[in-house]
Amino acid sequence: MLLLFVILIGIVSSHLNDPFVCPSGYSTYLPVKLPTSWINGSINCFDKGATRPDLDIFPINNDTYILRENKCINYEAPFMYLLFSNDTVLLIDSGATVSFISLPIQQHVETLITHWCINNKKERADLELVVAHTHNHDDHTAGDIQFKYKLFTTIVNTSIEEVSRYFHLDNWPNTIGTYDLNNQRRLAIIPIPGHENSAIA
């Protein structure tokens, strides 16, 4: 499932319980040119090198990345999204693979965080990684175990109660919530139960 999200530029002062609004004069939509193709796996996934690279990493800009799992590692080939602000990094979905040998998603994410910290003169301890999910299916949550018990990391449970609490969705599924990354980036959190009960976009 492709997550719908709005990428905002600039500092937007806001409150988590406000209705989601894109304030004029404070935000700009980024034009995005996506890759013409992603890793397509292989005719024979047992071929040498068919699972390498294990992950497509596509930078939209210095603060936003799209990740996609190699089809030869898992046929679902899920997309994941990594969004940075000055004190929070939001990973949306953790992929379809439990094994850190087949797909070390936590290491990939930490490498991107390290590079971001170097470029922005930050320490790793300055950033909290939040792992959230579009919905509670294994191909979007299997990688969570790699992030468990890691420093500076929070995993948002996939129950309706926990998703509602974390994203301030007070009247599930009739509330559109907002999630502010350090008042720099405002995301609309939209409950969309159907494909799965706790699904959000």
Side-chain angles (χ1 to χ4, degrees):
M1 177 187 295
L2 186 63
L3 175 73
L4 303 176
F5 63 91
V6 179
I7 304 166
L8 302 178
I9 299 177
I11 298 176
V12 180
S13 61
S14 58
H15 300 283
L16 290 173
N17 291 322
D18 289 347
F20 183 80
V21 177
C22 291
S24 61
Y26 289 91
S27 61
T28 304
Y29 289 101
L30 286 176
V32 175
K33 186 175 182 180
L34 294 173
T36 56
S37 65
W38 300 88
I39 297 172
N40 292 319
S42 173
I43 293 175
N44 183 355
C45 285
F46 293 101
D47 285 346
K48 183 178 180 180
T51 60
R52 293 292 179 265
D54 52 12
L55 195 71
D56 254 332
I57 300 176
F58 177 73
I60 290 179
N61 57 33
N62 292 332
D63 299 321
T64 306
Y65 293 82
I66 300 176
L67 317 176
R68 195 199 188 198
E69 196 166 329
N70 186 319
K71 281 187 176 181
C72 277
I73 294 176
N74 188 283
Y75 70 93
E76 294 277 7
F79 286 93
M80 293 155 271
Y81 306 89
L82 194 65
L83 312 178
F84 285 85
S85 75
N86 280 338
D87 64 6
T88 305
V89 187
L90 178 63
L91 174 65
I92 303 167
D93 290 336
S94 62
T97 302
V98 171
S99 170
F100 69 89
I101 296 174
S102 297
L103 176 63
I105 185 62
Q106 191 267 346
Q107 291 181 19
H108 283 303
V109 168
E110 283 297 328
T111 297
L112 291 171
I113 293 174
T114 297
H115 289 166
W116 189 93
C117 286
I118 292 170
N119 292 334
N120 291 274
K121 297 180 173 57
K122 293 277 189 177
E123 299 293 331
R124 177 62 183 90
D126 295 333
L127 297 179
E128 179 72 11
L129 172 63
V130 175
V131 182
H133 312 86
T134 54
H135 62 284
N136 185 21
H137 283 166
D138 287 346
D139 54 317
H140 294 259
T141 64
D144 283 10
I145 193 169
Q146 296 185 34
F147 295 91
K148 199 171 182 180
Y149 306 124
K150 299 297 183 182
L151 292 175
F152 318 118
T153 301
T154 298
I155 301 173
V156 180
N157 187 279
T158 52
S159 68
I160 291 175
E161 292 75 19
E162 180 64 12
V163 172
S164 297
R165 184 197 66 78
Y166 193 84
F167 291 114
H168 300 268
L169 301 168
D170 298 328
N171 184 24
W172 179 279
N174 301 311
T175 301
I176 295 179
T178 59
Y179 182 69
D180 287 350
L181 292 173
N182 190 32
N183 283 336
Q184 289 182 295
R185 309 179 73 174
R186 171 181 269 195
L187 308 180
I189 307 297
I190 306 171
I192 51 169
H195 180 65
E196 190 276 326
N197 287 340
S198 64
I200 58 174

